[in-house]
Amino acid sequence: MIRLHHVPLARSFRVLWLMEELGLDFEVVPYSIRDGSLRRPEFKALSPAGRVPALEYGDEVLFESGAILQWLCEQHPEPGLHPAPGTAERARYLEFIAYSETIGCLVENLNLNRVFLRDPADASPVVIKLLTARLRAALGAMEARWQHDHCLASGFSAADIMFSYGFELARYYVRFDEFPRLSAYWDRLKARPGYQRAKARDGEQDLYDRDFYPLEEVGT
Ligand SMILES: N[C@@H](CCC(=O)N[C@@H](CS)C(=O)NCC(=O)O)C(=O)O
């Protein structure tokens, strides 16, 4: 029995996508960040901080998307979606996995300021400007160093999947065409049948009410 506790467009999509790539049979339990369901004791028994993803996998219950991806790759090593310890690409792999959260944390904080506050007047224009600049810098640094079709020279891996959260959300706050190599990379990832199967199971997002949140509309 494999059951993924999931919010559309959240970090739990990483797990959903990896499980589609691995061809696993699993159930998706949907939640919303807005309706308080992640604060219920039944959910916090699975994920103590009340955050998705949580994954029930047989007798195991796991939270933290990066840990879950790594663990699933170890349970299912056949497709080779992670370079094992001691292999040549391991350093780059770990670096990319962690860097995806540098981007993930920036978009999460932009979400807090721009789409979650009940009263938009509580948002800090200075913080929004800083976060947006830092997001552009983080993506720009990745663009400048980008070398291959995927994070690793050897091809698609779980590191690519980790970027799905940051890339899906960054496009609400920065113009992705500023980063042509990353745009082409993201298009390549989205063309994968595994991504498309996962997207079909992602569900309707209830975070954003428009396609783009321009920085220009934030006061000073
Ligand atoms: N480091 C954790 C972060 C998990 C996390 O923050 N998830 C967000 C969705 S992307 C969440 O559940 N937020 C709930 C909330 O903000 O109330 C991971 O990678 O799984």
Side-chain angles (χ1 to χ4, degrees):
M1 181 281 291
I2 308 179
R3 187 179 292 136
L4 173 65
H5 299 264
H6 171 65
V7 167
L9 266 192
R11 286 176 176 88
S12 45
F13 181 78
R14 293 165 167 167
V15 182
L16 176 44
W17 182 9
L18 177 61
M19 293 201 296
E20 284 294 344
E21 293 283 348
L22 293 172
L24 303 184
D25 187 12
F26 61 96
E27 179 191 338
V28 176
V29 185
Y31 295 80
S32 164
I33 289 182
R34 293 191 183 279
D35 66 5
S37 52
L38 298 180
R39 301 283 169 264
R40 289 191 196 128
E42 313 85 88
F43 181 70
K44 286 177 121 183
L46 303 171
S47 178
R51 296 184 168 229
V52 290
L55 184 71
E56 296 176 75
Y57 186 102
D59 293 334
E60 289 282 353
V61 181
L62 299 95
F63 54 92
E64 285 293 333
S65 61
I68 296 173
L69 257 61
Q70 190 57 31
W71 188 82
L72 283 171
C73 284
E74 289 164 10
Q75 299 298 309
H76 303 274
E78 312 79 34
L81 294 183
H82 77 139
T87 54
E89 289 187 311
R90 182 72 174 178
R92 292 292 78 71
Y93 174 74
L94 294 176
E95 204 169 62
F96 274 118
I97 293 266
Y99 198 65
S100 72
E101 271 302 281
T102 296
I103 293 174
C105 289
L106 291 166
V107 294
E108 177 180 28
N109 283 310
L110 277 163
N111 276 356
L112 276 179
N113 270 274
R114 304 208 67 179
V115 301
F116 281 132
L117 291 175
R118 285 212 181 89
D119 182 354
D122 288 336
S124 160
V126 173
V127 171
I128 291 173
K129 283 179 184 164
L130 209 57
L131 287 169
T132 308
R134 289 167 77 94
L135 177 60
R136 288 184 65 222
L139 290 167
M142 193 171 169
E143 169 84 13
R145 292 179 61 137
W146 192 250
Q147 284 183 314
H148 311 293
D149 283 352
H150 297 90
C151 288
L152 303 183
S154 59
F156 181 71
S157 71
D160 300 302
I161 290 179
M162 284 295 287
F163 281 98
S164 57
Y165 172 70
F167 281 18
E168 294 273 16
L169 272 59
R171 70 192 158 91
Y172 288 95
Y173 302 119
V174 297
R175 304 276 180 203
F176 228 71
D177 50 14
E178 275 182 58
F179 313 105
R181 291 195 283 188
L182 295 186
S183 295
Y185 162 57
W186 183 221
D187 287 346
R188 206 173 299 125
L189 292 182
K190 288 189 292 184
R192 290 184 70 84
Y195 172 91
Q196 288 170 14
R197 285 196 302 277
K199 210 61 202 160
R201 299 182 73 178
D202 189 21
E204 272 305 304
Q205 63 90 12
D206 64 358
L207 304 180
Y208 306 101
D209 58 10
R210 51 198 158 115
D211 292 338
F212 191 68
Y213 293 76
L215 186 58
E216 297 72 42
E217 72 185 21
V218 175
T220 46

